[in-house]
Amino acid sequence: MNRVLAHTGARYPIIQAPMGWIARSQLASAVSNAGGLGIIETSSGETEACKAEILRMRELTDAPFGVNLPILFLRDEAMLRFVCESGVRFVTTSAGSPAKFVRPLKEAGITVYHAVPTVDAAVKCVEAGVDGLVVEGAEGGGFKNPEEVSTLVLLQAIRRVTSLPLVAAGGIADGRGMAAAFAAGAEGVQMGTRFVSAAESPVHANYKQAIVDARETGTYVLNKRATPCIRALKTERTRGMHEAGLMAPDTFARILDLYFGGDMEAAVGLAGQTAGLIDSVKPVTAIIEETVAEFFAITERMARMAEARSFG
């Protein structure tokens, strides 16, 4: 059996990325109800609001869902304790070493996958006892490794050093990308930008339209001379940051005005290169069903090629 499905309990090995403020019950429940795995974010730092969102998921779906714990962004262990007591069965950790989180989570019966941007990080996480890895390539939106490595290369490199189940993240928005990830060693995929632009996503229509309008070259990697390094949509504001190589300290001060107010110059609109593959706003159910159908159409064609020992 596919190990990501066994670990998550979802119908399809498609996980929704834990975008700050965005990955809450409205979007996550839609993903879980459509057969994927919705993830509730906690990177916003709004501990009580995120706790309420986890509880709200019980009202909106009977399907499995998960929670993300971004280690460096958690002020204390309150969220960790809450998750361990909440009945959640799947957690992704990120932004730091999972070493001190793995034991309490697993003692609570929770499966733990950690997000990694390099082979070295993957090896350390395997040694820490995680159950699987989310392999984050440079194509993805949000916080990034300044030493850019594509998902395709990173998947192959990490598969060489571990047999743990891998979830590919970055550069995937459809069944074609999912099939490519599986060919490189993944057993699941994580999509962020594709779900940010979904009909059920809580963000402003201007943000969704900016993703739809973007080309494959429509993002910048920003702040490569400092930390954190991020990938975001090209705007007048981000063009200046890109040229300077640095972000101002107040870059995220008005992020909610962008996300929910629609002012695309108020902050930076995080997005991956898959924005260039997205040409319309669709319901989550359509996104997942189309992804799965395309995945099987491609893998069936590949199976026929293998059986015939033919390249097409």
Side-chain angles (χ1 to χ4, degrees):
M1 182 179 182
N2 178 290
R3 291 178 293 175
V4 171
L5 292 181
H7 282 154
T8 63
R11 191 184 327 148
Y12 306 123
I14 299 173
I15 298 173
Q16 160 244 305
M19 298 82 63
W21 289 279
I22 300 170
R24 296 197 172 180
S25 59
Q26 178 177 319
L27 177 59
S29 64
V31 172
S32 288
N33 284 331
L37 190 80
I39 300 284
I40 297 294
E41 63 87 17
T42 62
S43 58
S44 60
E46 297 179 348
T47 303
E48 295 308 312
C50 292
K51 288 180 180 179
E53 290 295 305
I54 293 169
L55 297 175
R56 175 71 171 150
M57 286 291 286
R58 304 292 187 192
E59 303 172 12
L60 298 176
T61 184
D62 293 325
F65 67 94
V67 174
N68 173 252
L69 296 175
I71 295 159
L72 294 180
F73 296 104
L74 300 178
R75 291 190 294 268
D76 52 40
E77 294 188 356
M79 184 58 71
L80 171 65
R81 291 193 298 269
F82 178 83
V83 169
C84 288
E85 297 167 359
S86 69
V88 169
R89 288 290 170 259
F90 185 85
V91 161
T92 59
T93 53
S94 57
S97 170
K100 70 175 183 179
F101 279 53
V102 171
R103 182 175 178 179
L105 288 168
K106 296 184 79 167
E107 286 179 346
I110 297 170
T111 298
V112 184
Y113 280 40
H114 189 77
V116 294
T118 66
V119 173
D120 287 346
V123 170
K124 291 177 182 176
C125 290
V126 172
E127 293 171 349
V130 299
D131 299 295
L133 299 168
V134 179
V135 177
E136 289 195 342
E139 302 97 318
F143 295 91
K144 297 263 81 65
N145 177 15
E147 295 183 307
E148 301 173 48
V149 182
S150 73
T151 302
L152 184 61
V153 169
L154 194 58
L155 272 174
Q156 296 176 80
I158 290 177
R159 178 48 77 216
R160 289 181 175 183
V161 299
T162 180
S163 61
L164 286 184
L166 307 180
V167 172
I172 301 161
D174 53 27
R176 188 179 302 278
M178 183 175 177
F182 272 56
E187 293 179 52
V189 296
Q190 177 175 283
M191 299 195 295
T193 305
R194 175 69 274 196
F195 286 130
V196 172
S197 67
E200 294 89 342
S201 170
V203 304
H204 195 279
N206 289 356
Y207 190 6
K208 297 180 187 182
Q209 192 59 47
I211 291 172
V212 170
D213 291 342
R215 299 173 63 87
E216 76 282 1
T217 55
T219 60
Y220 286 126
V221 175
L222 304 173
N223 213 40
K224 293 189 72 171
R225 292 168 54 190
T227 57
C229 182
I230 63 170
R231 184 181 291 280
L233 290 168
K234 287 182 176 179
T235 63
E236 288 303 314
R237 182 177 183 131
T238 59
R239 183 173 291 108
M241 294 179 188
H242 182 256
E243 291 171 355
L246 294 169
M247 293 191 302
D250 65 348
T251 294
F252 292 99
R254 294 182 56 210
I255 191 66
L256 300 186
D257 291 333
L258 187 151
Y259 283 176
F260 308 115
D263 182 352
M264 296 304 297
E265 297 293 342
V268 294
L270 304 180
Q273 290 179 323
T274 55
L277 301 175
I278 298 167
D279 57 13
S280 63
V281 172
K282 295 181 178 180
V284 164
T285 297
I287 291 170
I288 291 179
E289 289 180 352
E290 289 172 10
T291 296
V292 170
E294 187 176 37
F295 171 82
F296 283 123
I298 291 170
T299 54
E300 285 170 4
R301 173 176 170 269
M302 299 298 286
R304 290 193 299 269
M305 291 168 61
E307 185 176 0
R309 307 298 293 174
S310 167
F311 293 102

